[in-house]
Amino acid sequence: MNKFKVEKEANPYVYLHKNVLNDASLSWKAKGLHCYIMSLPDNWNLFLADLQKRSADGRESTDSAIKELIANGYIQRTKVAGESGKFGGYDYSVFETKQPLTATVEPQRENRSG
């Protein structure tokens, strides 16, 4: 299962660095998605399938915004081992500011069958 973890300072308000909003390499869609994710409470468990349902954009649009945020260093994605060491999905860390880029691949759709 794909899970997001928000990495931000403790604060009861939505606190955003202007860097995100002024980053010309990001689309408005990616900026909006980042702002929404950063507005969630600390330690909020957000799943990709749930995130895709929270907007009229749909799965492909949400996936492309996540891919854009990964490519620009605002989201880092880590593979997670599942049962018996097999691939178990991804964990995502979302940051307030750009992080050094790491090797990533495109967001994968969750398999909800079974």
Side-chain angles (χ1 to χ4, degrees):
M1 191 152 290
N2 298 312
K3 179 177 69 173
F4 289 76
K5 177 183 174 193
V6 176
E7 304 279 347
K8 65 178 184 175
E9 298 171 14
N11 192 323
Y13 302 99
V14 177
Y15 178 78
L16 299 171
H17 286 270
K18 291 181 182 180
N19 297 357
V20 174
L21 297 174
N22 292 320
D23 190 337
S25 65
L26 292 177
S27 68
W28 290 115
K29 174 175 63 176
K31 291 176 186 185
L33 180 61
H34 183 270
C35 290
Y36 171 73
I37 292 171
M38 296 309 292
S39 76
L40 297 172
D42 293 344
N43 300 318
W44 184 265
N45 286 324
L46 178 66
F47 296 93
L48 185 56
D50 182 51
L51 186 60
Q52 293 165 342
K53 294 176 188 174
R54 293 185 178 266
S55 171
D57 282 357
R59 182 173 56 201
E60 287 78 19
S61 180
T62 303
D63 286 352
S64 72
I66 291 169
K67 179 181 176 184
E68 185 178 342
L69 289 167
I70 290 170
N72 284 281
Y74 292 98
I75 293 179
Q76 289 180 349
R77 184 170 71 175
T78 307
K79 287 184 181 181
V80 176
E83 295 179 27
S84 303
K86 295 181 181 179
F87 176 72
Y90 294 99
D91 280 347
Y92 296 81
S93 293
V94 184
F95 299 92
E96 291 181 296
T97 58
K98 264 186 187 187
Q99 302 297 303
L101 294 177
T102 59
T104 59
V105 293
E106 294 184 19
Q108 301 294 312
R109 294 190 180 103
E110 293 178 20
N111 184 354
R112 291 283 181 165
S113 61

